[in-house]
Each structure stands twice: as C-alpha cells, then as structure tokens.
Amino acid sequence: GQQLNQSPQSMFIQEGEDVSMNCTSSSIFNTWLWYKQDPGEGPVLLIALYKAGELTSNGRLTAQFGITRKDSFLNISASIPSDVGIYFCAGALQGGSEKLVFGKGMKLTVNP
Amino acid sequence: NAGVMQNPRHLVRRRGQEARLRCSPMKGHSHVYWYRQLPEEGLKFMVYLQKENIIDESGMPKERFSAEFPKEGPSILRIQQVVRGDSAAYFCASSRLSSVNEQFFGPGTRLTVL
C-alpha cells in the first residue's frame, strides 16, 4: 500500500528550542494533514494543507505543502513541555479518496 | 457536542473469540472511518462507511473482519476468531461530509489477544 516516509523518528529537545519534521512520498497527494497523538488517545488535527506551496500557521506551528505535492514539513517554534507527544503526517491521495495515509510518527520529548 | 465515542476502551480476548468494537460518531455525522494502529506505527485505513453502506473497504483483511453502520445505533467493527496479530489500537473517525480534513478521531479501543 501507499506509504509516507516521516523523519526523524524521534527527537529530544530542550524547552524553548524549535523542531522540524517532514514527510515524503513517491505519490502525489491532494491534501496534507498534521496530527498530534497523546498516549492513550486518538489523533488530534493540528494543521490542514490543501494547495501546493501553501504555508499555514497555527500558533507556534507552521506547516507547508510541498510544490511537488509529494512532501510536507511541520515546524514547532519555542517548544514547551506540553508539546510532548507523537506527531503524524497524513495525506489524501490524488484521486479523491477520503481515506488517509499516515506516516509512522515522530516522538517528541521536551526537557524542561 | 460530545466527540466521537468508542467502547470499550480496552478489550481483552483469547485466541478464537470474537471482538466487537463500537463507534458512535459525533452528532450530525453520517460518515465513519475505521483505522488500525500497531505499536510504534502510524494509523492504517481499514474501511469507510456511510449509514447502511460500505463505501470503501480496501483496507479490510479479506477474512474474519467486517464492519457495519446501521441506520440506528453505532458503527460496529467485528473481528471473528481473533489471533494474536489482531492486537492493536482501533480508531474510529467521523465526519459530517465526505471530507478528509474533517475527520474527528475517537479515543480508540485497545484490543489485546491472549
């Protein structure tokens, strides 16, 4: 099946630092989404991107939809302890399918 | 509004038993999606249903798994004759319209097969 390559797999940072993560695919996506999942919970949508080249912010989070439509990145600035969790990229493939393809996730640890 | 409800939150079954996972979508939502998450992995799409119809079941295993979303009541994901490899977290999402960005996820059911 389709796969998204998400990197890095984990990061350990100090409070206040910025962090970046990205996802790439060999397929073209119509939509890119970034989710955060806390332990024992379901994913919560952070940012949704709909057009190639689109750059969108949500507070300290910024994400971009790659020009080739095969990649996306997420930046978190000035990290705080509650940013701890697993971040997933997800996408909807070109062709109108409603199902989401997820990356394997990046586990973020923030040291206070 | 209450969010997507899933129950049970944790389910333990022995090999060969049946597992029934329930999902109540958000009020006003008529589209339901089921995903499976193995440890240390991302979510993998299983099935997309609207009321009384299966729209896309391309991610469902060919055997032992079935899903329904009746006119009344919750959506049910049913796993017959469970095996250890079925142990995973199963997430349901719902949306009001057919829209990838408006899928709201429930807290999941964690299935453990002994």
Side-chain angles (χ1 to χ4, degrees):
Chain A
Q2 297 296 332
Q3 286 190 334
L4 291 181
N5 299 310
Q6 187 171 353
S7 64
Q9 292 183 328
S10 63
M11 288 196 73
F12 296 81
I13 60 174
Q14 293 296 126
E15 183 176 358
E17 290 183 340
D18 299 345
V19 59
S20 291
M21 61 197 85
N22 68 77
C23 269
T24 60
S25 173
S26 56
S27 301
I28 291 175
F29 283 77
N30 281 341
T31 302
W32 282 94
L33 306 167
W34 285 92
Y35 287 88
K36 179 174 182 262
Q37 185 178 28
D38 291 327
E41 299 296 329
V44 174
L45 181 65
L46 299 174
I47 290 183
L49 302 154
Y50 303 106
K51 293 192 295 188
E54 180 180 357
L55 183 71
T56 297
S57 293
N58 178 8
R60 293 179 295 108
L61 278 61
T62 301
Q64 184 159 30
F65 192 143
I67 290 290
T68 65
R69 298 171 68 188
K70 294 182 178 181
D71 63 310
S72 176
F73 73 74
L74 174 71
N75 285 343
I76 305 173
S77 62
S79 60
I80 58 179
S82 62
D83 290 334
V84 165
I86 301 178
Y87 292 80
F88 290 97
C89 60
L93 285 164
Q94 186 179 44
S97 171
E98 288 77 22
K99 63 186 179 189
L100 293 174
V101 179
F102 279 79
K104 289 192 173 184
M106 191 214 76
K107 185 174 182 179
L108 179 64
T109 302
V110 180
N111 295 316
Chain B
N1 283 339
V4 178
M5 310 284 284
Q6 288 188 250
N7 67 81
R9 292 292 304 273
H10 299 274
L11 182 61
V12 179
R13 285 288 178 266
R14 296 190 180 281
R15 282 178 297 171
Q17 292 184 320
E18 179 179 285
R20 280 183 177 243
L21 288 62
R22 295 175 189 78
C23 169
S24 296
M26 288 179 66
K27 187 176 181 180
H29 286 193
S30 59
H31 301 252
V32 165
Y33 313 79
W34 285 93
Y35 293 83
R36 176 166 62 177
Q37 185 179 33
L38 296 172
E40 309 296 322
E41 297 282 329
L43 281 69
K44 289 202 166 39
F45 170 80
M46 298 181 75
V47 62
Y48 162 37
L49 310 103
Q50 293 180 30
K51 284 284 188 182
E52 300 184 281
N53 289 307
I54 295 175
I55 307 301
D56 181 352
E57 56 181 348
S58 58
M60 287 280 270
K62 294 280 189 283
E63 298 175 347
R64 302 188 297 108
F65 285 71
S66 62
E68 63 177 10
F69 188 17
K71 187 176 180 180
E72 302 291 338
S75 175
I76 305 286
L77 179 67
R78 182 182 177 207
I79 311 172
Q80 295 178 290
Q81 299 175 321
V82 296
V83 301
R84 288 218 174 105
D86 296 333
S87 296
Y90 292 82
F91 290 95
C92 165
S94 75
S95 66
R96 185 173 58 88
L97 303 172
S98 172
S99 173
V100 295
N101 67 303
E102 293 185 6
Q103 292 184 29
F104 293 87
F105 282 84
T109 293
R110 275 136 190 92
L111 173 66
T112 301
V113 179
L114 301 177

